[in-house]
Amino acid sequence: MSGGELHPESLAVSLGRGPRRAGAPVNAPVVLSAIFHAGGDVEYGRVGNPTVDALEEAIGGLEGGECAVFASGMAASAAVLGDLPPGSIVVAPTVAYFEVRAMLSEQAEQGRLEVRWVDVTDTAATLAACDGLSLLWVESPANPLMGIADLAVLAEGAHRAGGLMVVDNTFATPLLQRPLDLGADLAVHSATKYISGHSDVLLGAVCGRDPATVAAIRYRRELYGAVAGPVEVFLALRGLRTLAVRLERAQSNAMELARRLSEHPAVERVRYPGLPGDPGHELAARQMRGFGGMMAFEVRGGAEAADRVARSVELITFATSLGGVESLIERRARWPGETAAPPNLLRFSVGIEHVEDLWRDLDRALRA
Ligand SMILES: *Cc1c(COP(=O)(O)O)cnc(C)c1O
């Protein structure tokens, strides 16, 4: 469009729709074909698919790079790590999505990668661990403690040491944080979460500016068969159209609920970067366009009290995952791999319901 760059809210609606030819569909069609007539760019569905191309155009446009869409966030993460030569040094976060940490641990135990674990919210400690690295893996805001890492400074440090930086941008989405603009080489997503937004599909994505790097990661997808199905991709594209308004409501709800929870007698601590007293607040305010819809809080009375809250809510759903229109709550430490979570910590994915209904539900459950 003439007259300058579109805002991300408009890009989320307009990207990935194909040419405006008379009679052409306005929405990307679901192309259910495993094979394509010989002689074109793509002949087989594990290599490419027009519906997938549309979602890649949309997510890539929002992140400001090229995009490869995967069958899940874990498939996307596996492709990034799988592209590293054996013996590579990876600096990885002690606090991050637990199955990404499990995958790194396994590759370290198998001797495929050397992993140095650091608290990536501690910038100096992270930079000190970067010597000789191939890859710095960062999640910010991070599961489940909502830690914020200084993406620009860490990217510079990783590059100085001769490596790349990857940011898991699932919690923020490209609408609230653009890691590639901050210097990261790759942004990884579980598109299962906010991008799709309705807890009905599993999908992942990797975005980057260097075409050769993204091509190598796309080739991993082809080798691993980690391709997304066109129907799931269509649903993600449909979900993406409303990402801006969903996020706007979720984060305004989250801000209000975080304020109220931090004054609640049954709550020990609230972790939300939007709160002025939060350790990540200033950094998040600098590098993000908003604080998002994810938070965590610790319930007085330990794991049992926290479990009681998760089982007592009626509007909010006791379930794992995040980023859907519906509010979800769970005690993170119930997962054996989630070693970073205090036993009484509830992770709360704030949805788009009315804030007063959410508060009534939470307050009643906390008093139960
Ligand atoms: C859910 C999640 C993943 C894994 O993604 P899947 O789509 O479940 O495979 C990775 N990182 C973060 C931050 C997540 O929340």
Side-chain angles (χ1 to χ4, degrees):
M1 197 182 80
S2 55
E5 287 278 297
L6 289 174
H7 292 87
E9 292 82 352
S10 307
L11 291 175
V13 173
S14 62
L15 288 174
R17 290 193 183 272
R20 297 193 166 202
R21 257 190 290 102
V26 170
N27 290 311
V30 181
V31 178
L32 288 169
S33 189
I35 51 172
F36 301 89
H37 289 286
D41 291 342
V42 171
E43 299 199 11
Y44 193 54
R46 190 152 38 69
V47 181
N49 170 286
T51 319
V52 176
D53 292 346
L55 183 60
E56 290 181 343
E57 182 193 319
I59 299 177
L62 287 169
E63 283 288 10
E66 291 186 25
C67 173
V69 159
F70 285 81
S72 69
M74 287 305 294
S77 305
V80 172
L81 295 181
D83 195 44
L84 295 173
S88 297
I89 296 171
V90 177
V91 176
T94 47
V95 182
Y97 186 69
F98 74 111
E99 289 195 303
V100 170
R101 287 192 298 112
M103 185 153 57
L104 282 158
S105 294
E106 189 182 80
Q107 297 203 12
E109 279 158 28
Q110 292 168 344
R112 214 189 82 73
L113 298 175
E114 183 191 323
V115 179
R116 297 178 189 154
W117 300 100
V118 292
D119 171 4
V120 295
T121 67
D122 183 340
T123 305
T126 306
L127 293 176
C130 283
D131 192 37
L133 92 168
S134 297
L135 192 82
L136 167 60
W137 189 285
V138 175
E139 189 177 310
S140 182
N143 249 298
L145 305 182
M146 300 302 300
I148 306 291
D150 192 332
L151 300 185
V153 172
L154 293 181
E156 207 185 296
H159 295 158
R160 218 181 310 119
L164 303 181
M165 183 168 90
V166 179
V167 176
D168 185 332
N169 202 28
T170 299
F171 274 27
T173 84
L175 264 60
L176 301 183
Q177 176 169 274
R178 298 228 311 176
L180 306 183
D181 285 349
L182 294 166
D185 300 279
L186 296 171
V188 171
H189 283 278
S190 170
T192 310
K193 315 292 170 50
Y194 285 101
I195 288 178
S196 296
H198 297 76
S199 307
D200 50 8
V201 295
L202 289 162
L203 283 172
V206 179
C207 300
R209 287 203 174 135
D210 176 31
T213 306
V214 178
I217 287 165
R218 195 174 271 130
Y219 182 55
R220 288 284 130 205
R221 176 179 75 185
E222 186 180 328
L223 291 184
Y224 297 171
V227 289
V231 175
E232 281 82 350
V233 165
F234 175 83
L235 288 169
L237 209 41
R238 177 192 248 256
L240 182 66
R241 303 304 183 206
T242 56
L243 177 61
V245 287
R246 285 187 284 109
L247 267 178
E248 206 174 289
R249 169 65 75 84
Q251 77 176 357
S252 78
N253 282 352
M255 189 69 230
E256 184 57 29
L257 296 173
R259 266 197 218 109
R260 295 188 193 182
L261 283 169
S262 44
E263 282 163 16
H264 200 286
V267 172
E268 266 171 13
R269 174 173 183 182
V270 179
R271 299 169 185 263
Y272 181 63
L275 291 174
D278 191 86
H281 177 70
E282 274 162 42
L283 189 49
R286 240 187 299 138
Q287 71 185 14
M288 298 175 74
R289 283 180 72 210
F291 301 108
M294 288 302 299
M295 74 169 83
F297 60 95
E298 287 152 59
V299 178
R300 237 177 259 291
E304 279 168 36
D307 272 334
R308 218 174 308 125
V309 173
R311 290 208 192 86
S312 307
V313 286
E314 290 171 0
L315 172 62
I316 300 164
T317 301
F318 170 27
T320 195
S321 198
L322 59 109
V325 289
E326 70 291 332
S327 293
L328 301 174
I329 205 162
E330 69 167 329
R331 191 172 70 81
R332 247 347 243 182
R334 73 196 173 96
W335 300 105
E338 188 66 281
T339 48
N344 61 339
L345 179 133
L346 292 174
R347 191 181 71 182
F348 184 20
S349 171
V350 181
I352 65 168
E353 302 91 339
H354 195 289
V355 68
E356 295 302 339
D357 294 336
L358 291 174
W359 177 246
R360 201 149 26 95
D361 195 28
L362 263 183
D363 181 50
R364 198 192 33 73
L366 282 164
R367 289 174 199 280

